[in-house]
Amino acid sequence: MSDIAVPTAKPRSFLETLEIDLRLLGMVGAFIVICLYFHFDTGGRFLTPRNIFNLTIQTVSVAIMATGMVFIIVTRHIDLSVGALLATCSAVMAMMQTQWLPQTLGLGLGHPLIPWLAILTGLVTGAVVGAFHGYLVGYLMIPAFIVTLGGLLVWRNVAWYLTSGQTIGPLDPTFRQFGGINGTLGQTGSWVVGILCTLAALAALWNARRNKARHGFPVKPLWAEGVLAAVIGIAILGFVAILNAYQVPERVLARNFAARGEEMPEGFTAAYGLPISVLVLIFVAIGMTLIARRTRLGRYIFATGGNPDAAELSGINTRLLTVKVFALMGALCALSAVVASARLSNHSNDIGTLDELRVIAAAVIGGTALAGGLGTIHGAILGALIMQSLQSGMAMVNVDAPLQNIVVGAVLVAAVLIDIIYRRRTGAK
Amino acid sequence: MTTPLVEMNDICISFGGVHAVDHVSVDLMPGEVVGLLGHNGAGKSTLIKILSGAYQKDSGDITINGKKVEINNPRDARALNIETIYQTLALADNLDAASNLFLGRELVTAFGFVDEDAMEAETRKIMARLNPNFQKFSEPVSALSGGQRQSVAIARAVYFDAKILIMDEPTAALGPHETQMVSELIQQLKAEGIGIFLISHDIHDVMELCDRASVMKNGKLVGTVDVKDVTDDDLLGMIILGKQPGQAA
């Protein structure tokens, strides 16, 4: 809200001055409540470095796809095929690294190029299949629901066909590093990444403020920027500190030393630190947020979701835009396939089953409106985290499996209801 | 005689057997305001949407400054400096005023990222000229009043050096004060040599603002007249009965 013409504007509350989205704050609050509840119910086992580490690596696959689903839903479409497409990409990458590259092309197992060529092929597969879905939706005008419902059946079974239904493994050791516990940055590396992230966030805050000031727009008071910067810094560095507190068990260390033919020094310890898969998610989150907020593509996605006719009349090629959005979703499915299959260290026939529902639920819990035009990347990631926490928390307190799904389903519906009530109260659309 | 800015010759378009526009020809000179009149469903909006690229004509041709052009989509029309203010305003309700003003033509920084602050600064400048009371720059346009939304749509059309401006019922949602502002704006744009097609239901508006008026009925052109030569009743007769001025009923 501009205060230029009305210098005597009513005094603003603490939160208004910080310009924090109340909706986001509500979600963070809900997340904290869930965490604390399970922490006490499990007698202090939930908020341990080990469990937080596991929680983050379990969330990554769904969270990566949820960021793409935000764009799909914002443009008033839906993608029911993400779990199946993940399986096809995973099958292609598994076959690439165990059969086609080493045997058909004769690179030999263990060739250093194998994991990278496999990932590249997977990404291309995902993007091409996604673009094809987008073409069917955008140019041939088949509803996305139908195209991707068909896609769910097709790609789930293309994966089956490619692998003859077998579990394909073990995957390449370098490839497996993208899975989580098999590939972490260690203590020093994690601190470096954490500090770089904090500095980048502070630079972005400072830059935004300077730009606003240059055009003579009102800016937040300095103390408000300071509070925001402190919150961001503590959150990032605190997260790194927690992951760094998760020590590699002694027997694992001993085994690693033994594998290299060395003796483990007395009192040697090492921490896992930031998993590479989480780093991938961080890159995806930053990249997708930049696309959403700072590129024409992102503008057009949100404009098309808000009013497709207006977007078309403004000269936006909405058909091509649909192809791009679905292609991006496909590529993100492939990236999730890397993380998911690397975590399991093999490709199994049922990989990604029901992921489409988790991904859609994460995006929706994260505030993406199915009517289109509204949604945020960080919301979707938080949505994925909330769902995963509920699921693991309930498993830890021994809630029966059917009850777990009943609760998650009810939470999804309740979250949307709360969102509708909140938007009605605040008068937002 | 100068070359007409726009000539639309013998334009036809039909939707499923209905001849929405049936062999219609209209033209527009630089610095001229031509009113398009007719009942609902007479084909005025359809005709104009062919010029703005929203619809593709079945036959006929369009010349701009004497050169024959093909307008296949709104991008083509914009490239020819044809700007349109739609009756529905065509705003993305979830975005703010600056995003709507620059939709499809965003200002970008040296790195190719959208420059939000520069766009807001430009928007503040043009809105200061068009509607000095306008202050809601960071809210989505769904939070604006009808008049404010209209001024965003008008700002979008005049910001980008329009040579040809199409206004579809520009005052339909406005109060008396804002209507007056639109009238003044039309006079000002006319003086700058911009040609304007003004679609209106209001004969009074047309008599006051337009140089010529083309009247349509049932997809056909009834006739084009100089507003100086006709009375309100003549125009009404053309709209309702489809008869030429001076012709007996």
Side-chain angles (χ1 to χ4, degrees):
Chain A
M1 175 90 83
S2 156
D3 290 342
I4 288 183
V6 202
T8 53
K10 65 175 172 21
R12 304 199 295 177
S13 74
F14 177 71
L15 288 174
E16 270 176 294
T17 316
L18 287 178
E19 293 176 21
I20 289 180
D21 178 13
L22 272 181
R23 214 187 158 285
L24 176 67
L25 211 62
M27 277 175 54
V28 173
F31 179 56
I32 292 172
V33 168
I34 291 169
C35 288
L36 289 178
Y37 174 81
F38 284 124
H39 191 64
F40 291 115
D41 209 16
T42 55
R45 280 188 297 129
F46 194 79
L47 290 175
T48 56
R50 173 162 179 251
N51 193 49
I52 290 174
F53 183 93
N54 286 331
L55 208 57
T56 51
I57 60 176
Q58 285 161 356
T59 308
V60 171
S61 167
V62 165
I64 289 176
M65 290 190 283
T67 64
M69 190 61 81
V70 171
F71 285 176
I72 299 267
I73 297 179
V74 162
T75 51
R76 305 189 178 186
H77 297 302
I78 196 79
D79 194 337
L80 300 174
S81 69
V82 293
L85 184 51
L86 180 148
T88 290
C89 293
S90 166
V92 166
M93 290 188 290
M95 291 302 281
M96 277 301 269
Q97 53 192 297
T98 57
Q99 314 271 325
W100 300 334
L101 284 174
Q103 283 162 30
T104 316
L105 281 177
L107 278 184
L109 271 176
H111 191 285
L113 275 179
I114 283 181
W116 307 110
L117 285 175
I119 291 173
L120 186 68
T121 318
L123 288 174
V124 170
T125 306
V128 168
V129 170
F132 177 61
H133 287 168
Y135 169 79
L136 294 177
V137 175
Y139 285 88
L140 302 187
M141 303 299 195
I142 311 172
F145 187 93
I146 301 302
V147 169
T148 58
L149 184 61
L152 186 155
L153 286 170
V154 170
W155 303 115
R156 169 66 50 200
N157 291 287
V158 165
W160 187 341
Y161 184 79
L162 281 176
T163 58
S164 317
Q166 291 168 314
T167 296
I168 309 290
L171 299 176
D172 182 275
T174 314
F175 186 88
R176 286 210 306 264
Q177 295 208 332
F178 286 97
I181 198 138
N182 295 318
T184 58
L185 296 180
Q187 213 152 4
T188 321
S190 304
W191 280 122
V192 170
V193 169
I195 289 167
L196 284 180
C197 281
T198 312
L199 290 179
L202 296 187
L205 271 184
W206 176 251
N207 208 21
R209 183 183 174 84
R210 213 188 42 190
N211 270 340
K212 275 200 191 312
R214 203 181 57 205
H215 287 289
F217 300 158
V219 289
K220 284 175 256 186
L222 254 174
W223 67 261
E225 302 271 15
V227 169
L228 212 56
V231 169
I232 291 171
I234 290 170
I236 296 175
L237 296 176
F239 179 61
V240 171
I242 289 170
L243 293 182
N244 270 341
Y246 181 25
Q247 299 288 332
V248 182
E250 214 167 290
R251 57 191 160 72
V252 176
L253 284 173
R255 202 165 58 212
N256 288 348
F257 274 99
R260 290 198 298 266
E262 295 167 22
E263 188 75 13
M264 188 167 87
E266 193 70 30
F268 179 86
T269 60
Y272 282 110
L274 202 60
I276 290 172
S277 62
V278 174
L279 199 61
V280 170
L281 174 62
I282 292 170
F283 277 125
V284 168
I286 294 173
M288 292 292 280
T289 305
L290 274 180
I291 290 176
R293 297 247 180 103
R294 291 273 173 267
T295 66
R296 289 189 167 173
L297 176 65
R299 281 297 153 117
Y300 298 167
I301 287 169
F302 281 85
T304 303
N307 186 345
D309 295 331
E312 184 68 39
L313 292 174
S314 301
I316 295 168
N317 189 340
T318 50
R319 296 174 166 206
L320 184 61
L321 186 78
T322 307
V323 174
K324 287 181 188 166
V325 169
F326 274 90
L328 188 59
M329 180 77 247
L332 289 169
C333 287
L335 205 54
S336 284
V338 174
V339 172
S341 61
R343 192 161 87 85
L344 302 172
S345 74
N346 54 52
H347 165 82
S348 63
N349 209 29
D350 67 342
I351 193 167
T353 304
L354 290 184
D355 266 7
E356 52 282 337
L357 302 184
R358 294 192 190 101
V359 168
I360 294 169
V364 169
I365 289 179
T368 311
L370 282 170
L374 284 174
T376 59
I377 302 298
H378 57 257
I381 293 173
L382 198 51
L385 201 54
I386 288 177
M387 292 234 307
Q388 187 60 49
S389 313
L390 268 178
Q391 206 121 40
S392 347
M394 284 189 292
M396 285 171 81
V397 297
N398 296 322
V399 175
D400 287 340
L403 278 177
Q404 289 182 22
N405 285 332
I406 289 171
V407 170
V408 171
V411 165
L412 171 65
V413 176
V416 173
L417 176 64
I418 292 168
D419 200 36
I420 289 172
I421 294 171
Y422 168 76
R423 282 183 181 147
R424 204 179 289 152
R425 287 265 168 85
T426 56
K429 191 184 130 198
Chain B
M1 181 181 164
T2 49
T3 355
L5 196 53
V6 182
E7 279 180 291
M8 296 180 80
N9 289 322
D10 218 18
I11 304 289
C12 294
I13 185 170
S14 49
F15 299 104
V18 179
H19 295 283
V21 174
D22 197 359
H23 298 282
V24 172
S25 301
V26 291
D27 61 346
L28 179 68
M29 307 296 285
E32 187 188 37
V33 181
V34 170
L36 280 177
L37 283 161
H39 277 304
N40 289 329
K44 344 179 267 293
S45 287
T46 310
L47 176 69
I48 233 62
K49 279 185 176 165
I50 291 170
L51 185 59
S52 68
Y55 293 150
Q56 282 79 52
K57 60 183 161 42
D58 295 335
S59 66
D61 49 50
I62 301 173
T63 54
I64 306 274
N65 287 322
K67 267 206 300 250
K68 194 163 177 256
V69 294
E70 283 302 323
I71 300 174
N72 292 318
N73 54 49
R75 290 181 290 287
D76 292 346
R78 282 186 162 197
L80 292 162
N81 292 320
I82 301 171
E83 293 290 334
T84 311
I85 299 162
Y86 293 97
Q87 191 173 5
T88 55
L89 303 185
L91 298 173
D93 278 339
N94 54 335
L95 304 182
D96 62 18
S99 306
N100 269 293
L101 205 152
F102 286 94
L103 192 55
R105 294 180 282 211
E106 286 76 7
L107 300 177
V108 290
T109 62
F111 302 108
F113 288 118
V114 172
D115 194 342
E116 238 170 7
D117 295 325
M119 296 199 303
E120 190 179 326
E122 287 299 307
T123 308
R124 281 173 186 270
K125 271 188 227 158
I126 186 155
M127 292 311 274
R129 190 157 73 88
L130 289 179
N131 186 353
N133 297 326
F134 191 93
Q135 286 302 333
K136 292 186 172 172
F137 288 100
S138 47
E139 267 147 280
V141 295
S142 59
L144 306 184
S145 72
Q148 289 169 330
R149 289 161 58 84
Q150 187 92 43
S151 50
V152 174
I154 293 174
R156 173 164 65 180
V158 297
Y159 179 80
F160 294 96
D161 292 330
K163 299 274 187 302
I164 300 150
L165 190 59
I166 300 166
M167 301 174 116
D168 193 350
E169 301 277 357
T171 57
L174 301 184
H177 178 67
E178 287 144 322
T179 304
Q180 184 57 35
M181 264 177 11
V182 172
S183 306
E184 281 163 20
L185 180 71
I186 290 176
Q187 299 296 346
Q188 186 192 334
L189 295 171
K190 194 171 133 83
E192 290 169 18
I194 294 169
I196 299 173
F197 274 121
L198 180 68
I199 299 180
S200 184
H201 273 105
D202 189 342
I203 292 182
H204 180 73
D205 265 1
V206 172
M207 291 299 282
E208 188 185 309
L209 295 169
C210 299
D211 302 298
R212 285 186 297 151
S214 294
V215 180
M216 287 180 73
K217 184 175 163 64
N218 299 334
K220 292 195 170 64
L221 186 71
V222 177
T224 301
V225 293
D226 248 316
V227 288
K228 289 194 298 290
D229 305 340
V230 292
T231 62
D232 287 19
D233 286 343
D234 289 336
L235 280 180
L236 215 50
M238 291 173 80
I239 295 168
I240 297 172
L241 304 169
K243 72 183 179 71
Q244 296 297 325
Q247 188 186 332

